[in-house]
Amino acid sequence: MRELQLSSGRRLRREVLPIDYGARTTINQLSNTPASTQRPDTVLADVLLEGPASLLAIETSDVKHFFVRREQQPYLELTERRYLLERNGRQQVVDGNNYRAQLQVYFGDCQAVVAALAKTPFTASALSNLVQLYNTTCSTTRQVGSLAAPAKRGPSVKILVGPTLGMRYNSQRLRAAEAAGQEVQTLDGVQADGRLHPQAGIFLDVIFGGRKLALHSGLTYARFGGVTAVASPDGSDQWKGELAWQGAMTSAELGLRFMPSLGSATQLVLGTGLTLPPIQSFRNQLLRYGTTSPRLIDNTHPVPTLSEYPLLGFERTLLPYVEAGIRRNRFTLLLHARRYGKENYYDPLAVSTSSYNYPAYSIRGYSYTTRTVSVALSLGFQLNSNSDRLPQAR
C-alpha cells in the first residue's frame, strides 16, 4: 500500500525522497559546516499539498524536512539546520536554513512566488500557501492543488499515564527545644534518616489543548528511615544508644505542570502542587540506650532504657512541592522537592532534671523539634503513544 488516509484527515504516502540526514538543530550535535549529506530513502511522508506543484513533509531527529516538486522537476528538499561558526575566537550557533534562496531559484520564473518569499516563514501552512500560489498563477494548468484535509477536532485534552522509578532522599534532623540540663542532649543534631531509598510510582497527566499546561496526579511508594547511633546520656560507652525509625510510605500528589517546548520532541517541565498526607506503615519507632536494664542515676534510682515515643515524620503542611525536569518523547526525568511541617519529639530517657520527693523519684527528659525535607529524582515512562508528532523517516 503506497498511500494511507487517516480518519483525522491526515494523508500519508510512501515516497522515495532525497533526505539530508546530517541536518541537525540540537546544540550538542552541531558540526562546523553547513554541508548537505543527502541520500534517497523510502519514507512515509505527510502529503500537505498535491497539484501541479506538491508539498510533502517528514521529521527526523527533531528536524523538519519539506519537499517541493513542480512539473517535470525532481523533489527539492527544504530542511532546518544549524551549524557552529567561530568568530573572534568564539563559537556561535548559525542558522543554515536557506530555504528562501532555494525556493527563489526553484520558482525563479514565477514572480508571484518570488515576491511572496520574504514573508513566508518556515512552517507547513506558509509553505503550502506559497506552493499553492505557484499552482494558481504560474503552473501550466493554473489549477488549485488539493490541500491536506484539516484534522478533525479531537478531544481538547490528551491523557498521559505511566510508571515512574527513582531514588528518594529524606532529611529529618532533630534539634533541642530547650537548654541542656543534667545529662547530654543525645539527640540534638541527630539525623534520623539521611539515606537514599528506592521509589516507585505511577503518574497521570491531563494535558490541555495548547500542550503546555497539564493537570498532574501521581502516587509514589518509598521506604524511609534507618537505625542511627546515639551518644550516651552520661558519656560512658555502656549507655551508647540507637534510634530506630524505619517504615514505608505511600504519597499522593495533585498539581499543575507547565511545559514550554524545547524542540519538537523535548519539553521543559516545571511543576508545583500539594501532597496529600501520606499513608505510613512503621517497622520500628524506638529509642534504646545500652543493652541492660535499668540504667541507674546516682547509682540508686532507675531510669528506663527503652522508649517507643513516636517519631512520625512527614507532617502535613500547606507548603507546595516543586519539581523541574525534562520530557523527551516518552521519557520524563524530574527532580522533586518537598518540605514538610514541623513536629515535636520527646526523649524520656536522657535526664534533663531529676527530683526526689519521698517516696517518689521523678525525672524529666528532653524535647526536640524536627522537620522532614525530601528530594527525589525519578524517571517516568509514558505508555501512551505521541499522536502529535509527524511520521519518522524509516
Side-chain angles (χ1 to χ4, degrees), residues 48-70:
L48 304 181
L49 174 67
E50 186 168 32
S54 301
L55 181 68
L56 307 182
I58 65 167
E59 186 173 324
T60 63
S61 301
D62 301 338
V63 178
K64 295 178 182 177
H65 304 253
F66 295 100
F67 301 88
V68 183
R69 184 173 66 177
R70 55 184 286 188

Side-chain angles (χ1 to χ4, degrees), residues 155-227:
S156 59
V157 299
K158 181 168 67 172
I159 296 177
L160 307 182
V161 62
T164 62
L165 289 174
M167 300 296 291
R168 179 178 181 130
Y169 176 86
N170 302 309
S171 173
Q172 191 184 47
R173 195 174 293 278
L174 291 101
R175 300 294 183 187
E178 55 194 314
Q182 184 173 337
E183 291 189 319
V184 176
Q185 294 169 311
T186 56
L187 299 183
D188 189 25
V190 166
Q191 172 66 267
D193 196 334
R195 299 165 175 87
L196 285 173
H197 304 276
Q199 175 178 284
I202 57 174
F203 72 91
L204 188 149
D205 287 355
V206 179
I207 302 181
F208 301 111
R211 300 299 188 250
K212 291 185 178 180
L213 188 65
L215 179 65
H216 166 72
S217 61
L219 194 67
T220 58
Y221 173 86
R223 295 189 177 277
F224 61 82
V227 179

Side-chain angles (χ1 to χ4, degrees), residues 19-31:
I19 304 172
D20 182 4
Y21 285 104
R24 293 288 185 270
T25 57
T26 305
I27 291 179
N28 60 5
Q29 297 178 349
L30 300 185
S31 66

Side-chain angles (χ1 to χ4, degrees), residues 109-376:
D109 57 345
C110 182
Q111 291 303 311
V113 171
V114 172
L117 271 173
K119 296 183 179 180
T120 302
F122 193 73
T123 64
S125 60
L127 292 174
S128 295
N129 292 336
L130 187 76
V131 177
Q132 188 73 287
L133 180 62
Y134 168 83
N135 289 334
T136 57
T137 61
C138 300
S139 69
T140 56
T141 61
R142 301 294 196 275
Q143 289 183 347
V144 176
S146 59
L147 288 164
K152 295 180 181 178
R153 188 174 181 85
S156 59
V157 299
K158 181 168 67 172
I159 296 177
L160 307 182
V161 62
T164 62
L165 289 174
M167 300 296 291
R168 179 178 181 130
Y169 176 86
N170 302 309
S171 173
Q172 191 184 47
R173 195 174 293 278
L174 291 101
R175 300 294 183 187
E178 55 194 314
Q182 184 173 337
E183 291 189 319
V184 176
Q185 294 169 311
T186 56
L187 299 183
D188 189 25
V190 166
Q191 172 66 267
D193 196 334
R195 299 165 175 87
L196 285 173
H197 304 276
Q199 175 178 284
I202 57 174
F203 72 91
L204 188 149
D205 287 355
V206 179
I207 302 181
F208 301 111
R211 300 299 188 250
K212 291 185 178 180
L213 188 65
L215 179 65
H216 166 72
S217 61
L219 194 67
T220 58
Y221 173 86
R223 295 189 177 277
F224 61 82
V227 179
T228 305
V230 176
S232 170
D234 62 4
S236 68
D237 290 340
Q238 179 183 4
W239 300 109
K240 286 182 178 180
E242 63 178 25
L243 175 63
W245 178 67
Q246 297 170 297
M249 60 182 291
T250 301
S251 300
E253 57 194 35
L254 182 66
L256 290 174
R257 285 179 171 175
F258 177 60
M259 301 178 295
S261 175
L262 298 179
S264 60
T266 306
Q267 290 175 293
L268 176 67
V269 180
L270 303 172
T272 186
L274 296 177
T275 302
L276 301 181
I279 300 173
Q280 293 173 260
S281 60
F282 291 96
R283 188 170 61 190
N284 269 320
Q285 281 199 94
L286 57 88
L287 174 64
R288 183 195 307 272
Y289 291 108
T291 57
T292 60
S293 181
R295 188 166 68 89
L296 299 179
I297 296 294
D298 300 330
N299 296 319
T300 55
H301 299 101
V303 178
T305 59
L306 177 66
S307 169
E308 294 185 286
Y309 190 89
L311 176 63
L312 297 178
F314 310 103
E315 177 67 16
R316 69 179 65 188
T317 176
L318 294 179
L319 288 174
Y321 68 80
V322 292
E323 59 184 6
I326 294 291
R327 171 172 286 167
R328 180 172 176 82
N329 295 325
R330 295 191 180 196
F331 292 93
T332 303
L333 182 67
L334 276 176
L335 185 65
H336 180 107
R338 180 81 164 88
R339 184 176 184 234
Y340 293 85
K342 182 180 285 189
E343 299 179 74
N344 297 310
Y345 180 70
Y346 180 69
D347 172 14
L349 307 181
V351 179
S352 170
T353 60
S354 62
S355 61
Y356 178 65
N357 294 314
Y358 183 83
Y361 181 80
S362 63
I363 63 171
R364 182 178 177 276
Y366 284 108
S367 296
Y368 298 87
T369 61
T370 184
R371 185 193 301 273
T372 307
V373 176
S374 294
V375 178

